[in-house]
Amino acid sequence: MSETTFMGVPRDKIPWFPTIDYDKCNFCMECDTFCPHKVFERREGDRKLVVANPDNCVVFCRACSKTCGPDALSFPNKPEIIALIKQIRDEEAAK
Amino acid sequence: MKRAILSCNGLDKPEGSVARELAIRAAEAISGEIICPVLLNRAPARYKKALGENSLIVVDGCSTRCASKLAAGLEARVDRKVLISDVVKASGHKLPSTLTLGPDGLTMAQTIVDELVRNLNAPAAASESTSIFEAPTEFLTVMHDKFEFRIPVVDYLFNENDVWVRAADGVARVGISDYMQQKLTDISFFDFPKGDSTVEQFGELGSLESTKAVFEIISPATGTVASANSAVIANPALINEDPSGAGWLVELKLTNWPQDQEMLIDASAYAEIVKRKAAEE
Ligand code: SF4
Ligand code: SF4
């Protein structure tokens, strides 16, 4: 899905995805059960859950964080991401 | 306005204990009737009169929001809602660790009641709309397999998060697209944003829940929440029936519309997005 874009910008240039704080996560798997986009994957070993497909995450969605009791999921700052998208679009337009 | 209180009964979680305590204290403070969620669920007719005469203060313990979901199926008028887990988080207090509330838990419940009662005179969460918007007449159609997605054309703009917006006289009306409505299937709950709260473009405007999924409503514009559609709050199926018209969700007082529009797309560009998304499924 490398051609996937969001607002005209290649998806892989937009760093929007959840980050798991492993100091807080208790591997309850609520977030993985909740998200329909296969962003998370379960693994063997210490880190039983990882963000395996960050580009599958819907840009600006934060829904899974509400299912997380220990508040272990964080997302980038929205205004910064919006500014980045604008900047990439402007650069493309100037080409 | 007469109000009744529909609260989480909360027998298995501390959030529930706080919700229950809050409901009892709030009912006393405003001389309102308490509606038992268990009885309501078993025998809705028992509360027909109370629901007809009152607007509801809905109190949920945790984010499962059983009380709100009960209210959504009843065509009841929801005037206020309180989500204990959020209120506690926002206040910086800690939830009680046991189901029996100690002095701290009781004080917390009373503080939330005081705050609630103080705010009862402020404008309701869902006020009536301005209704300056006519029903859409012209549509683009995207076909995919046996599905048909209708995209309203004139005056409608979209973000790529499947939310539409139309603006007139500094007010914007917001809803979800036909494509998203069909993807979610039967929508059973609209968790609407608070009246007068401000939202940035791409910020969150509440959420929708269906039998299949939860959908976060990503705001297509910057502004202040002027109203939420009370018809949809009472009967969320309206979104499935008429997503671009009567099933609208929120109205915003716009504060940055000229810039907001730069980040939105028109119906034909949105049609391309729908084609791509439908093909990827
Ligand atoms: S933010 Fe939304 S799309 Fe992204 S991982 Fe969470 S639920 Fe899935
Ligand atoms: S919901 Fe939170 S605690 Fe549970 S697995 Fe996901 S990140 Fe970890």
Side-chain angles (χ1 to χ4, degrees):
Chain A
M1 292 205 295
S2 58
E3 327 83 278
T4 311
T5 58
F6 184 82
M7 302 178 71
V9 173
R11 176 63 185 87
D12 56 13
K13 289 199 175 160
I14 306 173
W16 182 272
F17 47 80
T19 301
I20 304 172
D21 180 342
Y22 289 103
D23 290 336
K24 291 184 182 165
C25 175
N26 60 17
F27 303 109
C28 67
M29 305 300 173
E30 291 284 345
C31 54
D32 184 40
T33 310
F34 172 85
C35 175
H37 300 284
K38 302 192 175 63
V39 173
F40 302 98
E41 266 175 31
R42 302 181 192 201
R43 295 279 156 85
E44 299 291 321
D46 277 355
R47 298 191 164 182
K48 292 192 189 60
L49 188 77
V50 295
V51 178
N53 301 303
D55 290 351
N56 280 6
C57 180
V58 176
V59 179
F60 301 135
C61 178
R62 304 171 52 110
C64 55
S65 64
K66 288 181 202 143
T67 67
C68 178
D71 219 0
L73 292 170
S74 61
F75 287 86
N77 173 289
K78 261 187 201 179
E80 278 170 23
I81 297 290
I82 294 165
L84 176 72
I85 292 172
K86 281 188 180 154
Q87 186 197 333
I88 299 175
R89 280 160 54 117
D90 288 349
E91 282 166 14
E92 288 298 314
K95 269 182 198 167
Chain B
M1 188 192 324
K2 275 182 69 185
R3 294 184 174 96
I5 297 163
L6 171 62
S7 165
C8 154
N9 240 7
L11 293 176
D12 63 348
K13 285 196 186 106
E15 290 94 323
S17 306
V18 178
R20 193 168 175 281
E21 187 65 33
L22 181 141
I24 297 165
R25 289 174 184 238
E28 272 172 12
I30 65 166
S31 313
E33 183 173 353
I34 291 188
I35 296 177
C36 166
V38 184
L39 182 55
L40 176 66
N41 199 29
R42 282 296 302 147
R46 161 71 180 72
Y47 287 116
K48 201 162 188 279
K49 186 156 172 280
L51 291 171
E53 287 173 354
N54 292 282
S55 329
L56 290 182
I57 298 175
V58 178
V59 186
D60 287 303
C62 66
S63 56
T64 314
R65 292 173 307 195
C66 305
S68 289
K69 286 172 196 169
L70 260 176
L74 292 169
E75 310 226 344
R77 283 189 311 270
V78 177
D79 175 43
R80 293 296 137 121
K81 50 178 192 173
V82 180
L83 176 58
I84 298 298
S85 53
D86 273 10
V87 174
V88 171
K89 221 186 231 175
S91 72
H93 284 94
K94 265 186 92 92
L95 268 173
S97 51
T98 55
L99 294 176
T100 324
L101 298 179
D104 286 355
L106 295 174
T107 311
M108 180 191 290
Q110 187 60 46
T111 315
I112 307 173
V113 171
D114 292 345
E115 171 85 20
L116 177 74
V117 171
R118 215 175 316 136
N119 289 334
L120 280 182
N121 293 324
S127 52
E128 286 315 309
S129 93
T130 48
S131 77
I132 41 175
F133 298 97
E134 310 250 330
T137 47
E138 213 180 298
F139 292 88
L140 282 176
T141 306
V142 172
M143 305 288 289
H144 184 78
D145 290 343
K146 58 186 192 319
F147 295 101
E148 184 185 316
F149 306 112
R150 280 156 54 89
I151 303 169
V153 182
V154 184
D155 294 341
Y156 284 75
L157 293 173
F158 301 81
N159 66 19
E160 286 194 34
N161 298 88
D162 306 292
V163 180
W164 58 258
V165 57
R166 56 194 304 203
D169 301 337
V171 176
R173 189 174 272 190
V174 172
I176 64 164
S177 70
D178 185 28
Y179 165 73
M180 185 43 72
Q181 166 276 118
Q182 292 191 45
K183 201 170 138 118
L184 287 169
T185 64
D186 299 327
I187 299 170
S188 56
F189 183 55
F190 171 29
D191 185 17
F192 57 88
K194 275 210 187 80
D196 278 340
S197 55
T198 55
V199 64
E200 298 290 322
Q201 188 178 34
F202 302 112
E204 199 196 318
L205 264 186
S207 61
L208 298 172
E209 248 179 90
S210 72
T211 35
K212 269 200 186 157
V214 178
F215 175 73
E216 229 178 77
I217 303 157
I218 304 290
S219 184
T222 307
T224 317
V225 175
S227 65
N229 188 348
S230 48
V232 161
I233 295 168
N235 176 25
L238 202 53
I239 305 167
N240 295 111
E241 283 157 29
D242 187 6
S244 322
W248 64 273
L249 302 173
V250 175
E251 284 183 350
L252 296 174
K253 277 189 219 103
L254 293 165
T255 50
N256 197 25
W257 186 233
Q259 278 82 348
D260 289 346
Q261 287 174 79
E262 287 170 23
M263 302 293 269
L264 298 172
I265 52 181
D266 67 7
S268 57
Y270 181 64
E272 294 305 315
I273 305 266
V274 169
K275 272 182 214 162
R276 191 188 81 203
K277 289 190 183 185
E280 272 173 13
E281 270 167 33

